[in-house]
Amino acid sequence: MNRPPSVRHRRVVAVLAAALLALTFASPVRADPGPPVLADGFGLTQVAGAQTGTATNFVISVTTAQVSGEHPIKIILPSDYFTDTAKRYPVLYFLHGSPDFPQNQLYSALTGTDEMITVIPDGGRRGWYSNWLKQNTPAGAQNWETFHIDQVIPFIDANLRTIPTKQKRAVAGISMGGFGAVRYAERHPDLFSQVATLSGDVDFSVASMDLRLSVVASLTDAAGVLCASSSDPDLCHQQDLYKPAVDSDALYGTPYPFLNADWRWNEASPGTHAAQLAGMGIYIYTGNNDFLEFWVEGANKHFKDALNAAQVPYYYVGYGDGSSWGCDGGHNAGCWDKDLHDLIPRLEQAFA
């Protein structure tokens, strides 16, 4: 004999039916929409299928007649970029060091700000953020400054909701990129209001001949040449970083200081044009606790002296062995992370 369902039983069935109906008509879970679609232009052509990442942290790859090969550009958007579609943002151009790539710049301070867009363009393993004097080398076209200034910046302004003014644009970099940041700010003061160098190679004068010769070593693939006659595994680990080798004078002409033959190196040295930075926010960070950072500290002191002589104010952090800065004071990402956590709030304040 079948018994009629109890009140409790009917209620359970009703609840289950309602839940099933809700699941049936519920909106599907939205996946990450992926990186935005950017339009080619300004001499840049995107490589099809090379875009990777999320909607707010992604990498594209482009080709240009100005620089041989394909070149990644990493773009970090604020978290509210797609929800507040009326909002426009300042831009930080962040320049990587040598030998490195935009994809490797994983600093939390860059992804943690919602007050600016960050763009990290490829600078090559030894591009030195310059248009090379010699273009007919095995490395091919090497017009890095033209690529960044005349192509990447207008490409970004055309494709993203930037505030395309000097007052809302900054340039910063580490090591080789620190040199590039100061060089670009000096040569294009109409484009940038803020400039920062983190362990930057900011002196190419004879006073920092050690740094000048390290640049030459990157051009001539000195590590690869030495590796051919050495069994040192540490040395040979570096052998493929700076190929193909080019002449020592491919970048700025002869680097050797005889009868002023090296005048282009002195001309490229940031201290030579320190007065061009007047009116900008200038931020300098350096330690001194390893071999390379010791050289860098000397270069930054020379640059600081040039700023003093030009009566240009700046913000300087010399953290020595890093004990007061929370790092080891060396030429490495641990210290640059600390630098950026100090720098980004300062840029936010300046932009505000």
Side-chain angles (χ1 to χ4, degrees):
M1 177 177 180
N2 294 328
R3 296 181 179 178
S6 66
V7 173
R8 180 180 180 186
H9 184 206
R10 288 197 298 270
R11 287 177 178 172
V12 169
V13 171
V15 169
L16 290 174
L20 181 60
L21 188 64
L23 288 173
T24 302
F25 292 98
S27 299
V29 177
R30 296 184 63 185
D32 187 309
V37 176
L38 309 181
D40 292 347
F42 306 94
L44 301 184
T45 301
Q46 295 172 82
V47 178
Q51 194 177 64
T52 61
T54 68
T56 57
N57 190 337
F58 58 95
V59 177
I60 64 171
S61 186
V62 300
T63 59
T64 167
Q66 297 300 323
V67 188
S68 178
E70 297 181 5
H71 304 286
I73 302 174
K74 183 172 183 175
I75 299 172
I76 303 171
L77 301 176
S79 63
D80 62 353
Y81 186 86
F82 295 100
T83 56
D84 188 352
T85 55
K87 186 176 180 181
R88 304 186 75 89
Y89 302 85
V91 183
L92 165 63
Y93 287 89
F94 187 71
L95 310 181
H96 66 77
S98 171
D100 211 344
F101 303 95
Q103 302 95 312
N104 294 343
Q105 312 312 301
L106 304 176
Y107 300 100
S108 59
L110 299 180
T111 56
T113 175
D114 281 337
E115 302 305 317
M116 66 191 77
I117 295 169
T118 299
V119 178
I120 310 174
D122 186 24
R125 292 187 175 187
R126 37 95 190 263
W128 292 101
Y129 299 96
S130 301
N131 289 350
W132 288 19
L133 179 65
K134 291 188 175 183
Q135 299 291 318
N136 59 339
T137 72
Q142 298 289 303
N143 289 317
W144 293 96
E145 183 176 3
T146 299
F147 169 46
H148 295 137
I149 299 299
D150 296 340
Q151 296 183 318
V152 172
I153 290 178
F155 172 83
I156 293 297
D157 285 340
N159 277 289
L160 299 174
R161 294 197 316 275
T162 68
I163 304 175
T165 66
K166 164 183 174 169
Q167 289 74 23
K168 301 298 184 178
R169 193 181 289 124
V171 60
I174 56 177
S175 194
M176 176 180 76
F179 164 77
V182 177
R183 174 178 171 81
Y184 286 171
E186 289 180 341
R187 290 173 60 84
H188 305 279
D190 57 317
L191 292 180
F192 304 102
S193 64
Q194 310 291 318
V195 58
T197 169
L198 288 58
S199 299
D201 302 344
V202 289
D203 185 19
F204 281 2
S205 73
V206 175
S208 291
M209 198 66 184
D210 42 15
L211 285 183
R212 184 189 291 189
L213 292 179
S214 71
V215 175
V216 171
S218 73
L219 297 172
T220 60
D221 186 32
V225 172
L226 291 174
C227 177
S229 59
S230 171
S231 59
D232 183 343
D234 292 330
L235 177 62
C236 290
H237 177 68
Q238 306 291 319
Q239 65 173 320
D240 293 324
L241 296 181
Y242 296 115
K243 287 181 170 32
V246 298
D247 294 339
S248 61
D249 56 354
L251 180 58
Y252 298 130
T254 179
Y256 307 110
F258 301 112
L259 301 177
N260 200 37
D262 62 334
W263 67 270
R264 290 187 182 88
W265 287 83
N266 296 320
E267 177 70 14
S269 189
T272 306
H273 309 284
Q276 290 294 105
L277 299 176
M280 293 190 197
I282 304 169
Y283 313 86
I284 304 169
Y285 299 85
T286 181
N288 68 5
N289 205 34
D290 63 19
F291 188 61
L292 183 53
E293 195 69 5
F294 177 78
W295 290 357
V296 165
E297 182 192 47
N300 280 270
K301 286 181 176 179
H302 296 152
F303 179 51
K304 183 160 65 84
D305 291 342
L307 290 170
N308 287 334
Q311 297 184 329
V312 175
Y314 53 86
Y315 171 77
Y316 184 91
V317 179
Y319 45 84
D321 64 5
S323 58
S324 63
W325 200 238
C327 70
D328 63 8
H331 198 76
N332 57 57
C335 288
W336 301 329
D337 182 69
K338 297 295 183 182
D339 298 348
L340 284 168
H341 277 284
D342 184 78
L343 172 66
I344 294 301
R346 297 179 187 278
L347 295 182
E348 291 175 340
Q349 184 176 12
F351 287 147

mmCIF file with all atom_site columns, all heavy atoms in Angstrom, residues 258-278:
data_model
loop_
_atom_site.group_PDB
_atom_site.id
_atom_site.type_symbol
_atom_site.label_atom_id
_atom_site.label_alt_id
_atom_site.label_comp_id
_atom_site.label_asym_id
_atom_site.label_entity_id
_atom_site.label_seq_id
_atom_site.pdbx_PDB_ins_code
_atom_site.Cartn_x
_atom_site.Cartn_y
_atom_site.Cartn_z
_atom_site.occupancy
_atom_site.B_iso_or_equiv
_atom_site.pdbx_formal_charge
_atom_site.auth_seq_id
_atom_site.auth_comp_id
_atom_site.auth_asym_id
_atom_site.auth_atom_id
_atom_site.pdbx_PDB_model_num
ATOM 1   N N   . PHE A 1 258 ? 91.697 57.748 -26.432 1.00 0.00 ? 258 PHE A N   1
ATOM 2   C CA  . PHE A 1 258 ? 92.909 58.301 -27.031 1.00 0.00 ? 258 PHE A CA  1
ATOM 3   C C   . PHE A 1 258 ? 92.524 59.443 -27.955 1.00 0.00 ? 258 PHE A C   1
ATOM 4   O O   . PHE A 1 258 ? 91.704 59.281 -28.865 1.00 0.00 ? 258 PHE A O   1
ATOM 5   C CB  . PHE A 1 258 ? 93.682 57.230 -27.803 1.00 0.00 ? 258 PHE A CB  1
ATOM 6   C CG  . PHE A 1 258 ? 94.105 56.060 -26.961 1.00 0.00 ? 258 PHE A CG  1
ATOM 7   C CD1 . PHE A 1 258 ? 93.551 54.804 -27.150 1.00 0.00 ? 258 PHE A CD1 1
ATOM 8   C CD2 . PHE A 1 258 ? 95.046 56.220 -25.951 1.00 0.00 ? 258 PHE A CD2 1
ATOM 9   C CE1 . PHE A 1 258 ? 93.938 53.733 -26.368 1.00 0.00 ? 258 PHE A CE1 1
ATOM 10  C CE2 . PHE A 1 258 ? 95.423 55.153 -25.151 1.00 0.00 ? 258 PHE A CE2 1
ATOM 11  C CZ  . PHE A 1 258 ? 94.868 53.904 -25.358 1.00 0.00 ? 258 PHE A CZ  1
ATOM 12  N N   . LEU A 1 259 ? 93.107 60.644 -27.693 1.00 0.00 ? 259 LEU A N   1
ATOM 13  C CA  . LEU A 1 259 ? 92.895 61.820 -28.537 1.00 0.00 ? 259 LEU A CA  1
ATOM 14  C C   . LEU A 1 259 ? 91.401 62.112 -28.741 1.00 0.00 ? 259 LEU A C   1
ATOM 15  O O   . LEU A 1 259 ? 90.958 62.487 -29.826 1.00 0.00 ? 259 LEU A O   1
ATOM 16  C CB  . LEU A 1 259 ? 93.585 61.622 -29.897 1.00 0.00 ? 259 LEU A CB  1
ATOM 17  C CG  . LEU A 1 259 ? 95.109 61.378 -29.843 1.00 0.00 ? 259 LEU A CG  1
ATOM 18  C CD1 . LEU A 1 259 ? 95.648 61.120 -31.235 1.00 0.00 ? 259 LEU A CD1 1
ATOM 19  C CD2 . LEU A 1 259 ? 95.806 62.570 -29.193 1.00 0.00 ? 259 LEU A CD2 1
ATOM 20  N N   . ASN A 1 260 ? 90.640 61.899 -27.677 1.00 0.00 ? 260 ASN A N   1
ATOM 21  C CA  . ASN A 1 260 ? 89.194 62.163 -27.684 1.00 0.00 ? 260 ASN A CA  1
ATOM 22  C C   . ASN A 1 260 ? 88.438 61.309 -28.700 1.00 0.00 ? 260 ASN A C   1
ATOM 23  O O   . ASN A 1 260 ? 87.331 61.663 -29.118 1.00 0.00 ? 260 ASN A O   1
ATOM 24  C CB  . ASN A 1 260 ? 88.922 63.651 -27.955 1.00 0.00 ? 260 ASN A CB  1
ATOM 25  C CG  . ASN A 1 260 ? 87.525 64.063 -27.509 1.00 0.00 ? 260 ASN A CG  1
ATOM 26  O OD1 . ASN A 1 260 ? 87.021 63.596 -26.485 1.00 0.00 ? 260 ASN A OD1 1
ATOM 27  N ND2 . ASN A 1 260 ? 86.883 64.953 -28.275 1.00 0.00 ? 260 ASN A ND2 1
ATOM 28  N N   . ALA A 1 261 ? 89.016 60.177 -29.080 1.00 0.00 ? 261 ALA A N   1
ATOM 29  C CA  . ALA A 1 261 ? 88.336 59.291 -30.030 1.00 0.00 ? 261 ALA A CA  1
ATOM 30  C C   . ALA A 1 261 ? 87.063 58.688 -29.433 1.00 0.00 ? 261 ALA A C   1
ATOM 31  O O   . ALA A 1 261 ? 86.177 58.250 -30.170 1.00 0.00 ? 261 ALA A O   1
ATOM 32  C CB  . ALA A 1 261 ? 89.287 58.186 -30.468 1.00 0.00 ? 261 ALA A CB  1
ATOM 33  N N   . ASP A 1 262 ? 86.968 58.666 -28.124 1.00 0.00 ? 262 ASP A N   1
ATOM 34  C CA  . ASP A 1 262 ? 85.807 58.079 -27.449 1.00 0.00 ? 262 ASP A CA  1
ATOM 35  C C   . ASP A 1 262 ? 84.728 59.127 -27.132 1.00 0.00 ? 262 ASP A C   1
ATOM 36  O O   . ASP A 1 262 ? 83.901 58.916 -26.243 1.00 0.00 ? 262 ASP A O   1
ATOM 37  C CB  . ASP A 1 262 ? 86.253 57.405 -26.159 1.00 0.00 ? 262 ASP A CB  1
ATOM 38  C CG  . ASP A 1 262 ? 86.865 58.397 -25.167 1.00 0.00 ? 262 ASP A CG  1
ATOM 39  O OD1 . ASP A 1 262 ? 87.389 59.449 -25.602 1.00 0.00 ? 262 ASP A OD1 1
ATOM 40  O OD2 . ASP A 1 262 ? 86.817 58.120 -23.951 1.00 0.00 ? 262 ASP A OD2 1
ATOM 41  N N   . TRP A 1 263 ? 84.692 60.218 -27.864 1.00 0.00 ? 263 TRP A N   1
ATOM 42  C CA  . TRP A 1 263 ? 83.807 61.322 -27.514 1.00 0.00 ? 263 TRP A CA  1
ATOM 43  C C   . TRP A 1 263 ? 82.341 60.912 -27.487 1.00 0.00 ? 263 TRP A C   1
ATOM 44  O O   . TRP A 1 263 ? 81.550 61.445 -26.697 1.00 0.00 ? 263 TRP A O   1
ATOM 45  C CB  . TRP A 1 263 ? 84.026 62.493 -28.466 1.00 0.00 ? 263 TRP A CB  1
ATOM 46  C CG  . TRP A 1 263 ? 83.613 62.248 -29.890 1.00 0.00 ? 263 TRP A CG  1
ATOM 47  C CD1 . TRP A 1 263 ? 84.381 61.745 -30.887 1.00 0.00 ? 263 TRP A CD1 1
ATOM 48  C CD2 . TRP A 1 263 ? 82.321 62.496 -30.457 1.00 0.00 ? 263 TRP A CD2 1
ATOM 49  N NE1 . TRP A 1 263 ? 83.665 61.663 -32.061 1.00 0.00 ? 263 TRP A NE1 1
ATOM 50  C CE2 . TRP A 1 263 ? 82.388 62.116 -31.825 1.00 0.00 ? 263 TRP A CE2 1
ATOM 51  C CE3 . TRP A 1 263 ? 81.114 62.997 -29.956 1.00 0.00 ? 263 TRP A CE3 1
ATOM 52  C CZ2 . TRP A 1 263 ? 81.298 62.225 -32.685 1.00 0.00 ? 263 TRP A CZ2 1
ATOM 53  C CZ3 . TRP A 1 263 ? 80.037 63.113 -30.812 1.00 0.00 ? 263 TRP A CZ3 1
ATOM 54  C CH2 . TRP A 1 263 ? 80.119 62.728 -32.163 1.00 0.00 ? 263 TRP A CH2 1
ATOM 55  N N   . ARG A 1 264 ? 81.951 59.933 -28.316 1.00 0.00 ? 264 ARG A N   1
ATOM 56  C CA  . ARG A 1 264 ? 80.545 59.511 -28.318 1.00 0.00 ? 264 ARG A CA  1
ATOM 57  C C   . ARG A 1 264 ? 80.167 58.823 -27.011 1.00 0.00 ? 264 ARG A C   1
ATOM 58  O O   . ARG A 1 264 ? 79.022 58.923 -26.562 1.00 0.00 ? 264 ARG A O   1
ATOM 59  C CB  . ARG A 1 264 ? 80.268 58.587 -29.509 1.00 0.00 ? 264 ARG A CB  1
ATOM 60  C CG  . ARG A 1 264 ? 80.295 59.286 -30.871 1.00 0.00 ? 264 ARG A CG  1
ATOM 61  C CD  . ARG A 1 264 ? 79.853 58.355 -31.973 1.00 0.00 ? 264 ARG A CD  1
ATOM 62  N NE  . ARG A 1 264 ? 79.908 58.968 -33.286 1.00 0.00 ? 264 ARG A NE  1
ATOM 63  C CZ  . ARG A 1 264 ? 80.976 58.973 -34.072 1.00 0.00 ? 264 ARG A CZ  1
ATOM 64  N NH1 . ARG A 1 264 ? 82.107 58.392 -33.671 1.00 0.00 ? 264 ARG A NH1 1
ATOM 65  N NH2 . ARG A 1 264 ? 80.940 59.562 -35.249 1.00 0.00 ? 264 ARG A NH2 1
ATOM 66  N N   . TRP A 1 265 ? 81.095 58.094 -26.397 1.00 0.00 ? 265 TRP A N   1
ATOM 67  C CA  . TRP A 1 265 ? 80.828 57.469 -25.101 1.00 0.00 ? 265 TRP A CA  1
ATOM 68  C C   . TRP A 1 265 ? 80.626 58.548 -24.038 1.00 0.00 ? 265 TRP A C   1
ATOM 69  O O   . TRP A 1 265 ? 79.721 58.448 -23.209 1.00 0.00 ? 265 TRP A O   1
ATOM 70  C CB  . TRP A 1 265 ? 81.975 56.544 -24.710 1.00 0.00 ? 265 TRP A CB  1
ATOM 71  C CG  . TRP A 1 265 ? 82.020 55.280 -25.503 1.00 0.00 ? 265 TRP A CG  1
ATOM 72  C CD1 . TRP A 1 265 ? 82.567 55.095 -26.743 1.00 0.00 ? 265 TRP A CD1 1
ATOM 73  C CD2 . TRP A 1 265 ? 81.464 54.018 -25.122 1.00 0.00 ? 265 TRP A CD2 1
ATOM 74  N NE1 . TRP A 1 265 ? 82.395 53.800 -27.159 1.00 0.00 ? 265 TRP A NE1 1
ATOM 75  C CE2 . TRP A 1 265 ? 81.724 53.116 -26.182 1.00 0.00 ? 265 TRP A CE2 1
ATOM 76  C CE3 . TRP A 1 265 ? 80.791 53.563 -24.001 1.00 0.00 ? 265 TRP A CE3 1
ATOM 77  C CZ2 . TRP A 1 265 ? 81.330 51.776 -26.143 1.00 0.00 ? 265 TRP A CZ2 1
ATOM 78  C CZ3 . TRP A 1 265 ? 80.394 52.231 -23.943 1.00 0.00 ? 265 TRP A CZ3 1
ATOM 79  C CH2 . TRP A 1 265 ? 80.655 51.351 -25.013 1.00 0.00 ? 265 TRP A CH2 1
ATOM 80  N N   . ASN A 1 266 ? 81.466 59.565 -24.062 1.00 0.00 ? 266 ASN A N   1
ATOM 81  C CA  . ASN A 1 266 ? 81.322 60.651 -23.103 1.00 0.00 ? 266 ASN A CA  1
ATOM 82  C C   . ASN A 1 266 ? 80.011 61.410 -23.346 1.00 0.00 ? 266 ASN A C   1
ATOM 83  O O   . ASN A 1 266 ? 79.341 61.833 -22.402 1.00 0.00 ? 266 ASN A O   1
ATOM 84  C CB  . ASN A 1 266 ? 82.505 61.609 -23.216 1.00 0.00 ? 266 ASN A CB  1
ATOM 85  C CG  . ASN A 1 266 ? 83.824 60.933 -22.841 1.00 0.00 ? 266 ASN A CG  1
ATOM 86  O OD1 . ASN A 1 266 ? 83.871 60.151 -21.896 1.00 0.00 ? 266 ASN A OD1 1
ATOM 87  N ND2 . ASN A 1 266 ? 84.878 61.210 -23.588 1.00 0.00 ? 266 ASN A ND2 1
ATOM 88  N N   . GLU A 1 267 ? 79.634 61.567 -24.604 1.00 0.00 ? 267 GLU A N   1
ATOM 89  C CA  . GLU A 1 267 ? 78.393 62.237 -24.944 1.00 0.00 ? 267 GLU A CA  1
ATOM 90  C C   . GLU A 1 267 ? 77.194 61.443 -24.442 1.00 0.00 ? 267 GLU A C   1
ATOM 91  O O   . GLU A 1 267 ? 76.183 62.015 -24.018 1.00 0.00 ? 267 GLU A O   1
ATOM 92  C CB  . GLU A 1 267 ? 78.309 62.423 -26.466 1.00 0.00 ? 267 GLU A CB  1
ATOM 93  C CG  . GLU A 1 267 ? 77.027 63.044 -26.970 1.00 0.00 ? 267 GLU A CG  1
ATOM 94  C CD  . GLU A 1 267 ? 76.862 64.511 -26.613 1.00 0.00 ? 267 GLU A CD  1
ATOM 95  O OE1 . GLU A 1 267 ? 77.860 65.146 -26.203 1.00 0.00 ? 267 GLU A OE1 1
ATOM 96  O OE2 . GLU A 1 267 ? 75.728 65.007 -26.713 1.00 0.00 ? 267 GLU A OE2 1
ATOM 97  N N   . ALA A 1 268 ? 77.287 60.109 -24.483 1.00 0.00 ? 268 ALA A N   1
ATOM 98  C CA  . ALA A 1 268 ? 76.180 59.255 -24.046 1.00 0.00 ? 268 ALA A CA  1
ATOM 99  C C   . ALA A 1 268 ? 76.081 59.150 -22.532 1.00 0.00 ? 268 ALA A C   1
ATOM 100 O O   . ALA A 1 268 ? 75.036 58.740 -22.008 1.00 0.00 ? 268 ALA A O   1
ATOM 101 C CB  . ALA A 1 268 ? 76.335 57.855 -24.639 1.00 0.00 ? 268 ALA A CB  1
ATOM 102 N N   . SER A 1 269 ? 77.133 59.502 -21.815 1.00 0.00 ? 269 SER A N   1
ATOM 103 C CA  . SER A 1 269 ? 77.139 59.362 -20.358 1.00 0.00 ? 269 SER A CA  1
ATOM 104 C C   . SER A 1 269 ? 76.131 60.311 -19.718 1.00 0.00 ? 269 SER A C   1
ATOM 105 O O   . SER A 1 269 ? 76.129 61.521 -20.008 1.00 0.00 ? 269 SER A O   1
ATOM 106 C CB  . SER A 1 269 ? 78.542 59.654 -19.821 1.00 0.00 ? 269 SER A CB  1
ATOM 107 O OG  . SER A 1 269 ? 78.612 59.334 -18.447 1.00 0.00 ? 269 SER A OG  1
ATOM 108 N N   . PRO A 1 270 ? 75.232 59.817 -18.870 1.00 0.00 ? 270 PRO A N   1
ATOM 109 C CA  . PRO A 1 270 ? 74.160 60.658 -18.320 1.00 0.00 ? 270 PRO A CA  1
ATOM 110 C C   . PRO A 1 270 ? 74.626 61.910 -17.599 1.00 0.00 ? 270 PRO A C   1
ATOM 111 O O   . PRO A 1 270 ? 73.939 62.938 -17.643 1.00 0.00 ? 270 PRO A O   1
ATOM 112 C CB  . PRO A 1 270 ? 73.443 59.702 -17.365 1.00 0.00 ? 270 PRO A CB  1
ATOM 113 C CG  . PRO A 1 270 ? 73.620 58.360 -17.999 1.00 0.00 ? 270 PRO A CG  1
ATOM 114 C CD  . PRO A 1 270 ? 75.025 58.393 -18.549 1.00 0.00 ? 270 PRO A CD  1
ATOM 115 N N   . GLY A 1 271 ? 75.780 61.855 -16.943 1.00 0.00 ? 271 GLY A N   1
ATOM 116 C CA  . GLY A 1 271 ? 76.243 63.035 -16.228 1.00 0.00 ? 271 GLY A CA  1
ATOM 117 C C   . GLY A 1 271 ? 76.508 64.219 -17.131 1.00 0.00 ? 271 GLY A C   1
ATOM 118 O O   . GLY A 1 271 ? 76.441 65.376 -16.687 1.00 0.00 ? 271 GLY A O   1
ATOM 119 N N   . THR A 1 272 ? 76.779 63.960 -18.399 1.00 0.00 ? 272 THR A N   1
ATOM 120 C CA  . THR A 1 272 ? 77.060 65.031 -19.350 1.00 0.00 ? 272 THR A CA  1
ATOM 121 C C   . THR A 1 272 ? 75.851 65.925 -19.556 1.00 0.00 ? 272 THR A C   1
ATOM 122 O O   . THR A 1 272 ? 75.987 67.118 -19.864 1.00 0.00 ? 272 THR A O   1
ATOM 123 C CB  . THR A 1 272 ? 77.497 64.437 -20.705 1.00 0.00 ? 272 THR A CB  1
ATOM 124 O OG1 . THR A 1 272 ? 78.596 63.552 -20.490 1.00 0.00 ? 272 THR A OG1 1
ATOM 125 C CG2 . THR A 1 272 ? 77.903 65.514 -21.687 1.00 0.00 ? 272 THR A CG2 1
ATOM 126 N N   . HIS A 1 273 ? 74.661 65.381 -19.384 1.00 0.00 ? 273 HIS A N   1
ATOM 127 C CA  . HIS A 1 273 ? 73.433 66.127 -19.681 1.00 0.00 ? 273 HIS A CA  1
ATOM 128 C C   . HIS A 1 273 ? 72.524 66.240 -18.461 1.00 0.00 ? 273 HIS A C   1
ATOM 129 O O   . HIS A 1 273 ? 71.299 66.307 -18.603 1.00 0.00 ? 273 HIS A O   1
ATOM 130 C CB  . HIS A 1 273 ? 72.688 65.438 -20.824 1.00 0.00 ? 273 HIS A CB  1
ATOM 131 C CG  . HIS A 1 273 ? 73.539 65.162 -22.018 1.00 0.00 ? 273 HIS A CG  1
ATOM 132 N ND1 . HIS A 1 273 ? 73.902 66.135 -22.912 1.00 0.00 ? 273 HIS A ND1 1
ATOM 133 C CD2 . HIS A 1 273 ? 74.125 64.006 -22.440 1.00 0.00 ? 273 HIS A CD2 1
ATOM 134 C CE1 . HIS A 1 273 ? 74.664 65.605 -23.860 1.00 0.00 ? 273 HIS A CE1 1
ATOM 135 N NE2 . HIS A 1 273 ? 74.820 64.327 -23.592 1.00 0.00 ? 273 HIS A NE2 1
ATOM 136 N N   . ALA A 1 274 ? 73.108 66.259 -17.284 1.00 0.00 ? 274 ALA A N   1
ATOM 137 C CA  . ALA A 1 274 ? 72.310 66.261 -16.056 1.00 0.00 ? 274 ALA A CA  1
ATOM 138 C C   . ALA A 1 274 ? 71.340 67.433 -15.996 1.00 0.00 ? 274 ALA A C   1
ATOM 139 O O   . ALA A 1 274 ? 70.226 67.307 -15.469 1.00 0.00 ? 274 ALA A O   1
ATOM 140 C CB  . ALA A 1 274 ? 73.234 66.285 -14.845 1.00 0.00 ? 274 ALA A CB  1
ATOM 141 N N   . ALA A 1 275 ? 71.711 68.570 -16.562 1.00 0.00 ? 275 ALA A N   1
ATOM 142 C CA  . ALA A 1 275 ? 70.854 69.749 -16.507 1.00 0.00 ? 275 ALA A CA  1
ATOM 143 C C   . ALA A 1 275 ? 69.533 69.533 -17.237 1.00 0.00 ? 275 ALA A C   1
ATOM 144 O O   . ALA A 1 275 ? 68.542 70.219 -16.955 1.00 0.00 ? 275 ALA A O   1
ATOM 145 C CB  . ALA A 1 275 ? 71.583 70.956 -17.095 1.00 0.00 ? 275 ALA A CB  1
ATOM 146 N N   . GLN A 1 276 ? 69.498 68.577 -18.176 1.00 0.00 ? 276 GLN A N   1
ATOM 147 C CA  . GLN A 1 276 ? 68.274 68.302 -18.926 1.00 0.00 ? 276 GLN A CA  1
ATOM 148 C C   . GLN A 1 276 ? 67.174 67.712 -18.045 1.00 0.00 ? 276 GLN A C   1
ATOM 149 O O   . GLN A 1 276 ? 66.010 67.667 -18.441 1.00 0.00 ? 276 GLN A O   1
ATOM 150 C CB  . GLN A 1 276 ? 68.571 67.338 -20.077 1.00 0.00 ? 276 GLN A CB  1
ATOM 151 C CG  . GLN A 1 276 ? 69.394 67.935 -21.201 1.00 0.00 ? 276 GLN A CG  1
ATOM 152 C CD  . GLN A 1 276 ? 68.631 69.035 -21.919 1.00 0.00 ? 276 GLN A CD  1
ATOM 153 O OE1 . GLN A 1 276 ? 68.920 70.221 -21.727 1.00 0.00 ? 276 GLN A OE1 1
ATOM 154 N NE2 . GLN A 1 276 ? 67.647 68.660 -22.711 1.00 0.00 ? 276 GLN A NE2 1
ATOM 155 N N   . LEU A 1 277 ? 67.545 67.245 -16.846 1.00 0.00 ? 277 LEU A N   1
ATOM 156 C CA  . LEU A 1 277 ? 66.570 66.625 -15.944 1.00 0.00 ? 277 LEU A CA  1
ATOM 157 C C   . LEU A 1 277 ? 65.912 67.631 -15.002 1.00 0.00 ? 277 LEU A C   1
ATOM 158 O O   . LEU A 1 277 ? 65.103 67.252 -14.162 1.00 0.00 ? 277 LEU A O   1
ATOM 159 C CB  . LEU A 1 277 ? 67.241 65.526 -15.127 1.00 0.00 ? 277 LEU A CB  1
ATOM 160 C CG  . LEU A 1 277 ? 67.845 64.371 -15.929 1.00 0.00 ? 277 LEU A CG  1
ATOM 161 C CD1 . LEU A 1 277 ? 68.557 63.400 -14.995 1.00 0.00 ? 277 LEU A CD1 1
ATOM 162 C CD2 . LEU A 1 277 ? 66.779 63.657 -16.751 1.00 0.00 ? 277 LEU A CD2 1
ATOM 163 N N   . ALA A 1 278 ? 66.249 68.903 -15.145 1.00 0.00 ? 278 ALA A N   1
ATOM 164 C CA  . ALA A 1 278 ? 65.682 69.932 -14.270 1.00 0.00 ? 278 ALA A CA  1
ATOM 165 C C   . ALA A 1 278 ? 64.162 69.906 -14.338 1.00 0.00 ? 278 ALA A C   1
ATOM 166 O O   . ALA A 1 278 ? 63.574 69.846 -15.417 1.00 0.00 ? 278 ALA A O   1
ATOM 167 C CB  . ALA A 1 278 ? 66.207 71.307 -14.671 1.00 0.00 ? 278 ALA A CB  1
#
